[in-house]
Amino acid sequence: MISLVGMPGSGKSTVGRHVARHLGLPFFDSDHVIEQRIGCSIRAYFESHGEPAFRDVEAQVIADLIRPGPGAVVATGGGAVLRDANREALHAHSTVFYLRSTPEDLARRLRHDTHRPLLQGSSDPLKRLRTLYQERDPLYRRCAHYVIETGRPSVHTLVSMVLMQIELAGLLPDAPKAPPPHP
Ligand code: S3P
């Protein structure tokens, strides 16, 4: 079981999907599973039920997805690490990669985003991202087994870095099977 944590916009879903394909494992995006369960967008759910209710659903989905075994690649939502139980489950039952990005890089990548409720309505998204980063960077580090810097590299390079680390750690002795992803 492999999981990815990190700030919104750090590339968890994109990198996770490529890594899963390369290893021949199923891929799950926890936000996507949450939306299937709640039957609406996360943004709408935040507005109607509030953040604590969303975090309850998120914790249930993480507990269901993260099980011992080689199973799958899971990309988590940026706030999944806020709850101790989620961090503990992720760390104990999966190999956790933290895709680390600076708030400046994230602000650039998310400048047209309209989906992420925590970034909507902020007149200064960079300031908001800096605050979130300060709160969360220590939690991502505590939860992760490996930290991957996402500053400059392409998706292809990031995927290769994750795969190399998996191979070095001897986590999947029979993998990889598929050819490397195209740049
Ligand atoms: C959140 C990040 C989102 C989503 C929700 C809350 C957060 O996921 O789970 O909007 O608290 O940072 P991404 O990291 O995939 O954007």
Side-chain angles (χ1 to χ4, degrees):
M1 179 71 70
I2 291 155
S3 63
L4 297 119
V5 302
M7 292 280 286
S10 58
K12 294 163 294 196
S13 301
T14 309
V15 171
R17 195 171 292 114
H18 281 288
V19 168
R21 192 160 60 209
H22 190 75
L23 297 174
L25 291 173
F27 171 72
F28 298 100
D29 181 327
S30 69
D31 285 344
H32 191 70
V33 177
I34 291 168
E35 287 187 333
Q36 283 174 335
R37 259 184 218 189
I38 58 185
C40 64
S41 71
I42 288 176
R43 186 178 173 181
Y45 196 79
F46 253 70
E47 278 162 18
S48 56
H49 291 70
E51 183 173 347
F54 167 76
R55 297 294 172 205
D56 288 343
V57 183
E58 181 176 52
Q60 193 52 58
V61 166
I62 300 277
D64 291 345
L65 288 176
I66 303 294
R67 305 225 165 259
V73 177
V74 177
T76 63
V81 296
L82 293 171
R83 290 217 175 157
D84 294 354
N86 294 346
R87 284 201 310 279
E88 282 156 21
L90 286 162
H91 192 86
H93 301 309
S94 69
T95 302
V96 186
F97 288 86
Y98 168 23
L99 300 189
R100 200 194 75 89
S101 312
T102 62
E104 291 73 17
D105 280 338
L106 295 167
R108 208 163 28 245
R109 284 183 221 150
L110 294 173
R111 64 192 183 279
H112 302 304
D113 182 80
T114 55
H115 298 289
R116 291 171 170 92
L118 290 178
L119 301 179
Q120 307 308 313
S122 168
S123 57
D124 190 346
L126 177 57
K127 192 171 163 208
R128 180 89 183 103
L129 284 163
R130 282 191 178 132
T131 307
L132 288 174
Y133 177 83
Q134 267 172 15
E135 281 166 18
R136 294 177 177 184
D137 179 63
L139 301 176
Y140 295 131
R141 288 180 187 279
R142 211 178 298 164
C143 181
H145 298 92
Y146 300 102
V147 181
I148 305 278
E149 298 292 332
T150 71
R152 306 251 164 226
S154 62
V155 168
H156 173 74
T157 308
L158 290 173
V159 171
S160 299
M161 285 161 88
V162 172
L163 290 171
M164 195 163 63
Q165 206 54 259
I166 289 170
E167 246 179 289
L168 282 173
L171 289 170
L172 294 161
D174 296 333
K177 296 184 186 80
H182 293 294

